[in-house]
Amino acid sequence: MRSPEKRSMDPATIEMLRRVAECNVSVAWDRHEAMEPQCGFGSLGICCRICVMGPCRIDPFGEGPSEGVCGATADIIAARNLARMIASGAAAHSDHGRDIAHTLLMASEDEDCDYRIKDEKKLRALAKELGVATEGKELKEVARGVAEIAFSQFGQQHGELVFTKRAPEDQRKRWREQHVVPRGVDREIVEIMHRTTMGVDNDPKNIIMQGVRAALGDGWGGSMIATDLSDVLFRTPEWVRSYANLGILKSDEVNIIVHGHEPTLSEMIVAASRDKELLELAKSKGAKGINLGGICCTANEILMRHGIPLAGNFLQQELAIATGVVEAMIVDVQCIMPALGKLAECYHTHIISTSPKAKFPKATHIEFEEAHAYETAKKIVRMAVENFPKRDALRACIPSAKSPLIAGFTTENVYTMLGGRYRPSYRPLNDAIMTGRLRGVAGVVGCNNPKFTHDYGHVAMTKELIGNDVLVATTGCTAIADAKAGLMCPEAAEKYAGKGLQEICRAVGAPPVLHLGSCVDNTRILTVLSNMVAEGGLGQSIADLPVAGAAPEWMSEKAVSIGFYVIASGVYTVLGQPLPIQGARGLTKLVCDEIEKMFGGKFAFESDPIKAAHLMIDHIDAKRRALHLPGTMYEVPYPARTAQEMAQAAG
Amino acid sequence: MSQSGTREGMLFVEVSRCMGCRSCEIACAVAHSASKDLFEALGEEPRPTSRVKVEAAEESAVPLQCRHCEDAPCVAICTTKALEKLGPNLPVLIKEERCIGCKFCIMVCPFGVIGLRADGKVALKCDLCIERLEVGEDPACVAACPTKALRFLPPNEVAAIKRRLTAAAMKDADAKAALVREKA
C-alpha cells in the first residue's frame, strides 16, 4: 500500500487516509492499487466493443492484429472511442444546462414556484443578447422568453447555436471552414453515436471533427446555458470569503454535505439549512446549528453565491463520510462514487440520492421535485437533523486543516475588478499583458485521479504558473485543491506570485488564483477570453492570446468534452493523463499537432505538473512574440534569463 | 530462493481463468523495453516484443511461454552455448551475443514458444523476467494478469493446488455416481 503522503499532498486527506487504514476501510486509492496494473489496451485506446463481431484489440507492438474484424485500424478504433467520450461528457454538461433552463421556465410560469429570478440585471442583459423584447414587459415574461430560447438550443436542428455569436469572428470563421459550428446541442451528440456505430464514419479526422462539433455545443451551448441561467436564477456571483477543507466540519453541529453538480438542489438545501423550524429541531436534538459543506461542483456553485464552505474535492468524498460526523450526504448527478452507500453503512451517515437519473446502491432515495423544491429540501434536511443523535462522538475524527479563500470571480466582475466601478473595462487586463507585467493567463481545471498524488498536479502547476507571472483562472476540483492549498487568498500573491502579478494583486486586493466556479463555468473562461479579444490589442482571435489551459488530474469524460471545446476555441491545453489514444499514432498526431492549424489550439500530454507548466509558459511566450509584445516586465524564474536577455527581450 | 537470492518457481497456467485479454502480452513487451513505460515503449526502436503469446483453443485462450525445462532440448541442441539453464527451478536464458540464428532451438522446442527477435537475427524467448525475480517480484505477465490465470509458484505449491482440484473433482464424481446408483 502506498503511503498516505504519496497518495495525497493535502494534510486533511493524509490524516483521513491514516484513519481509514486503521479502521480497515478501503477507499478509491486502495481500489486503484488493486486494479493495477491497468489494461494496456484500454490505456492506449485500441480495444473496440462497438459491435459483437468483436471485442477486438490491436497489438500496439505490431506483431498481432493490426485491424479489427471489420477492418478498423487503431486510428479508427481510438477515434470512435474518443468521440464517444466527448458525447458522454457533452451530454452530462448539457443535461445539467437543460435542467436549469427547465427551472427558469418553471419560475417564469408558475406563481407558486419556489425558485425566483434573483438577478434581473443579468436576465435583461441576456434578453437583449437573445433578442427577447424587454420594454414594458414583466420580469416573468422576459424570463419565459429567455428560457424558451435556451430550451430551443438543445433540440435545434439547423443554423448555429446562439451563444457561438459570443466567440470572436475569427474563431467562428475557423469553425465554419471546418464545418463544426454546432447546430443543436442534442443533435451533435446523437450524430456522434450514429457516426461511431458499426460501419458508418471510418475516417478518423472526420469522426474527430464531429467530436469537436459536439464539444463546441457543450462549451458554447449546454454548459454556457447552465452558467448563464444559473446566474439569472440564483444570482451572478460576487467576491465572497469562505473556507476550504474537511476542517470545516463541526463537532457540535449537524453536518450536511451536498455533493454533485446541479445548483437547483443545493440552492434549496442552503435555504432549508437556514430554516428556523429546522434550526429549532437541531437544537432540540442537541446540536448547536446546521453546518453545510460541499464536495465537487455543487460545492463551487453554493460557495460562489453564498459563501458555503468547501468540504473537499472529488477524492475526498469517501473521507468526508469517514470523519463520522456527517449526518447526511445529499447527492444529485455526476462524479458520485457508487462506493459511498457501502461505506456509509460503517457510519451513521445517510446517503440521500435525489435525482431520478442517478440512484446508488444502499442509498436512501428522496426524489427532488422542482415543483415542490423547498418542501423536498426541508424533508431531506430534517432527515439529517434527526440523524444527529446517532452520531458516535468516540468515533468522530475531524481533521483540523482548513484554509481561508476568496471566490466569486465571473466574466462580468472582471470589468469592475480591474477597471473599477466608474470605468468598468477589460482594458487594464489587456494592458497588464501588453506591458509584460502579466505574462499571460492560464486556465487550470479538472478532476482528481488516484493515478496522481491527490491535489499535487493542480497545486504544483498553479504555483509554478503564478510564480512566473501567469494569472490562473480555475474551476471545479482544481479550484478546490488550490483553495485548500491557500492559493486563493490575497496573501498568496506575496508568497507565491512573481513580482508583476504581485503588483496587480496588491493594487486590486485579489488573489493570484481566481475561482470562476463549477465545471460548467469553464464557459466563463471562454467569455473572458472573448472579451479580451474584443477589448483589442491582443490579436484577432482567442488563438492569438498569450493564454494556455491544463487539466493536470483529469479523469472524467466531461473533461474530454471540455478539452475539445477549449482547443477548438483556440487554446493550447496540457493534459496530465494522456487521452486514451496513444496506441493510434495518426490520431495522436491529429489532436496533438495538426488540429492547431484548423482551430489554433491543440493538446499536449505531460504528467509532471512542473514540466506541463513550462510547456504552457513556452506557449504563452511564443504567442507574446507573435504579437510583438515585450518580454516579462520583471525577471521570472522560468526560463532562467540573464539581465541582458531580459533587456533584449524588452527590446 | 536460490543462493543468489533469485526467486525460484514455475509458471502455473489455469486455462479456465484466462479471459484472453492479452494483458500479459503487453506487459511482457513493456518489461522488455528500454523505458519499461507503456506510453514510451510504443515509440522505441527496436520495437519491444512480447515473449508470451495467448493462443486460441476453440472457446478457450491459453497463454504460452517458455516452460524453462529442466532438461531443455533447446539448451541441448544449441551449438554455440547461447542457451543456458541457470539451475533447477531457474530460467533458461539466451545470450544474444552468442546466438547465430540457426533456429534449431525453434525446431526442437516441444511447445513452439521460442521465436525470433524483430530483426530476425537471434532467437527470442521468455527469460522469466529474471531482473524482476532478482528483486523478489513476479514476472511481468503474472503481475499483469487480472484473473490470476498466470501465477508464479514453487512446483510443490502448484502440485498442492492441483491435488486439491483433483480431490474436489473426485468428490463430485463420487456424488454423481452415488446419485446414479440411487436412481437405479
Side-chain angles (χ1 to χ4, degrees):
Chain A
M1 199 177 99
R2 278 180 205 117
S3 70
E5 288 79 8
K6 282 223 168 100
R7 288 178 165 193
S8 178
M9 67 159 282
D10 168 51
T13 301
I14 292 171
E15 193 177 333
M16 285 313 298
L17 281 171
R18 286 214 184 87
R19 173 81 177 170
V20 293
E22 280 165 19
C23 303
N24 256 337
V25 168
S26 82
V27 289
W29 285 271
D30 301 301
R31 294 190 296 269
H32 175 252
E33 275 181 37
M35 202 54 70
E36 284 183 316
Q38 287 172 302
C39 174
F41 296 98
S43 304
L44 298 172
I46 44 177
C47 51
C48 181
R49 291 184 297 113
I50 283 174
C51 84
V52 295
M53 293 195 290
C56 295
R57 275 152 313 177
I58 304 301
D59 182 346
F61 297 108
E63 280 179 275
S66 59
E67 44 192 42
V69 177
C70 67
T73 58
D75 282 329
I76 293 172
I77 290 175
R80 289 195 299 219
N81 291 340
L82 186 63
R84 286 186 169 205
M85 289 183 89
I86 298 173
S88 298
H93 287 142
S94 299
D95 220 28
H96 169 168
R98 186 198 324 270
D99 283 352
I100 305 288
H102 176 242
T103 307
L104 181 62
L105 195 64
M106 270 177 48
S108 71
E109 283 176 344
D110 182 359
E111 278 304 313
D112 303 324
C113 183
D114 292 335
Y115 296 98
R116 294 265 179 274
I117 290 134
K118 288 197 186 153
D119 198 332
E120 191 180 333
K121 193 176 152 199
K122 178 130 184 181
L123 176 66
R124 293 203 181 272
L126 266 179
K128 197 176 159 200
E129 186 182 350
L130 298 174
V132 175
T134 53
E135 225 158 288
K137 302 265 181 187
E138 253 187 75
L139 192 65
K140 288 205 166 183
E141 251 177 287
V142 179
R144 197 177 313 134
V146 169
E148 288 290 4
I149 290 180
F151 240 160
S152 74
Q153 297 297 294
F154 294 93
Q156 188 171 290
Q157 296 302 320
H158 49 75
E160 299 183 347
L161 284 186
V162 61
F163 282 148
T164 57
K165 282 201 192 80
R166 290 177 170 182
E169 184 52 39
D170 189 81
Q171 206 66 36
R172 294 164 67 202
K173 210 177 107 210
R174 288 167 184 261
W175 296 340
R176 287 199 193 107
E177 276 166 13
Q178 301 298 331
H179 308 287
V180 298
V181 186
R183 293 157 292 191
V185 175
D186 295 351
R187 174 168 186 177
E188 309 309 348
I189 295 167
V190 169
E191 194 169 313
I192 285 184
M193 299 314 283
H194 176 197
R195 285 205 205 192
T196 57
T197 196
M198 198 275 143
V200 188
D201 198 353
N202 285 286
D203 178 86
K205 185 188 155 200
N206 209 44
I207 295 168
I208 293 306
M209 285 305 116
Q210 180 56 24
V212 166
R213 203 171 197 178
L216 290 171
D218 172 359
W220 300 86
S223 281
M224 204 167 262
I225 289 168
T227 296
D228 278 14
L229 299 197
S230 292
D231 285 352
V232 168
L233 275 168
F234 311 122
R235 185 171 68 74
T236 307
E238 289 295 339
W239 292 23
V240 63
R241 278 183 186 280
S242 190
Y243 287 90
N245 219 341
L246 291 170
I248 62 108
L249 295 171
K250 293 187 177 162
S251 60
D252 51 2
E253 292 190 22
V254 175
N255 290 305
I256 299 176
I257 290 198
V258 282
H259 171 24
H261 283 76
E262 295 185 2
T264 27
L265 168 70
S266 51
E267 280 281 332
M268 282 296 152
I269 299 290
V270 172
S273 72
R274 291 166 181 172
D275 189 287
K276 268 190 188 160
E277 182 197 332
L278 291 168
L279 286 168
E280 284 303 317
L281 182 68
K283 285 204 179 113
S284 75
K285 300 281 175 192
K288 284 194 177 153
I290 301 174
N291 181 40
L292 198 57
I295 284 182
C296 285
C297 278
T298 211
N300 289 321
E301 299 275 2
I302 52 176
L303 164 74
M304 295 278 284
R305 299 195 178 90
H306 301 281
I308 300 292
L310 302 165
N313 50 8
F314 173 71
L315 274 178
Q316 290 175 289
Q317 54 186 287
E318 293 174 280
L319 304 180
I321 293 172
T323 60
V325 297
V326 175
E327 273 59 53
M329 182 178 274
I330 305 160
V331 303
D332 55 4
V333 291
Q334 301 173 22
C335 300
I336 299 145
M337 293 190 192
L340 293 179
K342 196 173 138 204
L343 173 69
E345 284 190 323
C346 306
Y347 302 89
H348 74 303
T349 309
H350 290 309
I351 305 291
I352 303 171
S353 59
T354 56
S355 166
K357 295 172 198 165
K359 295 191 177 182
F360 295 86
K362 298 178 192 292
T364 309
H365 190 73
I366 302 179
E367 201 140 305
F368 186 72
E369 291 163 17
E370 280 142 354
H372 315 282
Y374 192 59
E375 205 180 302
T376 324
K378 273 180 78 174
K379 186 175 164 192
I380 293 169
V381 172
R382 182 174 291 117
M383 199 173 155
V385 171
E386 281 169 352
N387 196 25
F388 181 75
K390 293 205 186 111
R391 188 193 291 179
D392 182 351
L394 292 174
R395 288 180 69 199
C397 166
I398 305 177
S400 55
K402 63 171 180 178
S403 303
L405 66 96
I406 292 180
F409 298 91
T410 62
T411 310
E412 290 81 1
N413 66 23
V414 167
Y415 283 100
T416 46
M417 171 180 133
L418 294 167
R421 289 210 178 274
Y422 294 103
R423 271 188 300 274
S425 156
Y426 269 57
R427 195 71 248 157
L429 175 61
N430 283 24
D431 278 347
I433 292 172
M434 289 166 75
T435 54
R437 180 168 277 121
L438 202 57
R439 194 174 197 160
V441 182
V444 184
V445 305
C447 331
N448 288 143
N449 184 333
K451 287 181 179 174
F452 302 100
T453 303
H454 167 237
D455 286 356
Y456 173 74
H458 300 306
V459 174
M461 173 183 284
T462 305
K463 280 185 184 169
E464 187 66 15
L465 289 167
I466 61 177
N468 283 287
D469 283 340
V470 176
L471 177 69
V472 171
T474 170
T475 62
C477 283
T478 309
I480 302 176
D482 286 349
K484 289 186 293 170
L487 299 177
M488 283 186 184
C489 39
E491 300 75 37
E494 303 300 317
K495 252 189 183 165
Y496 305 111
K499 208 174 161 200
L501 179 55
Q502 235 170 39
E503 285 183 355
I504 294 168
C505 292
R506 270 185 212 147
V508 188
V513 180
L514 307 183
H515 192 327
L516 272 72
S518 65
C519 43
V520 292
D521 293 335
N522 282 323
T523 59
R524 296 196 203 275
I525 299 180
L526 296 180
T527 45
V528 164
L529 298 177
S530 302
N531 286 351
M532 284 167 71
V533 174
E535 185 62 46
L538 293 174
Q540 296 305 310
S541 71
I542 296 174
D544 295 334
L545 296 172
V547 299
E553 300 179 26
W554 77 277
M555 61 88 203
S556 163
E557 290 172 318
K558 292 185 288 173
V560 181
S561 179
I562 295 169
F564 269 93
Y565 73 63
V566 168
I567 66 160
S569 298
V571 181
Y572 172 75
T573 299
V574 188
L575 301 179
Q577 173 73 16
L579 291 169
I581 59 166
Q582 286 193 303
R585 294 188 184 195
L587 180 64
T588 306
K589 190 158 184 271
L590 173 68
V591 302
C592 294
D593 178 18
E594 293 157 1
I595 205 162
E596 189 177 25
K597 282 196 197 79
M598 303 173 213
F599 305 116
K602 64 175 176 182
F603 285 117
F605 307 144
E606 176 53 63
S607 58
D608 180 326
I610 304 289
K611 283 186 194 160
H614 292 168
L615 289 174
M616 295 160 80
I617 293 169
D618 289 346
H619 174 82
I620 286 170
D621 285 352
K623 291 291 170 186
R624 292 188 65 90
R625 282 193 297 276
L627 289 165
H628 305 290
L629 297 179
T632 49
M633 187 179 280
Y634 301 105
E635 192 163 357
V636 285
Y638 174 83
R641 287 175 187 232
T642 60
Q644 200 185 353
E645 278 173 331
M646 290 293 292
Q648 267 177 356
Chain B
M1 288 271 192
S2 72
Q3 283 178 340
S4 63
T6 305
R7 271 184 70 193
E8 289 176 22
M10 61 176 276
L11 282 163
F12 175 40
V13 184
E14 268 186 282
V15 173
S16 60
R17 285 173 172 254
C18 178
M19 310 290 289
C21 75
R22 295 182 164 163
S23 294
C24 53
E25 291 184 6
I26 285 201
C28 178
V30 173
H32 294 89
S33 69
S35 62
K36 316 270 186 241
D37 176 85
L38 173 65
F39 299 123
E40 283 180 36
L42 287 180
E44 279 178 25
E45 282 298 334
R47 199 156 52 192
T49 329
S50 173
R51 280 96 165 129
V52 53
K53 286 280 170 288
V54 180
E55 287 294 332
E58 291 178 19
E59 298 290 290
S60 298
V62 186
L64 286 173
Q65 64 275 75
C66 174
R67 299 303 311 165
H68 301 277
C69 309
E70 294 300 323
D71 183 10
C74 59
V75 174
I77 199 107
C78 185
T79 48
T80 60
K81 296 205 178 344
L83 282 155
E84 185 191 7
K85 174 79 180 172
L86 293 189
N89 292 333
L90 287 170
V92 172
L93 295 184
I94 182 161
K95 286 199 174 81
E96 288 195 349
E97 67 278 14
R98 287 184 168 223
C99 178
I100 56 171
C102 70
K103 308 172 192 72
F104 263 125
C105 53
I106 298 177
M107 207 161 76
V108 298
C109 174
F111 311 109
V113 290
I114 303 182
L116 282 178
R117 204 169 65 186
D119 63 4
K121 288 187 174 164
V122 296
L124 183 89
K125 66 179 287 302
C126 163
D127 59 0
L128 265 186
C129 287
I130 180 88
E131 291 168 13
R132 294 172 61 100
L133 295 185
E134 279 165 2
V135 295
E137 289 176 356
D138 276 332
C141 57
V142 172
C145 183
T147 58
K148 304 270 187 285
L150 277 172
R151 280 188 280 177
F152 186 71
L153 296 169
N156 55 356
E157 271 184 48
V158 174
I161 291 170
K162 293 297 287 186
R163 280 199 303 277
R164 281 198 293 277
L165 291 172
T166 309
M170 284 182 70
K171 180 180 155 276
D172 284 351
D174 212 43
K176 270 182 203 155
L179 208 64
V180 172
R181 278 198 302 276
E182 264 172 41
K183 275 187 184 167

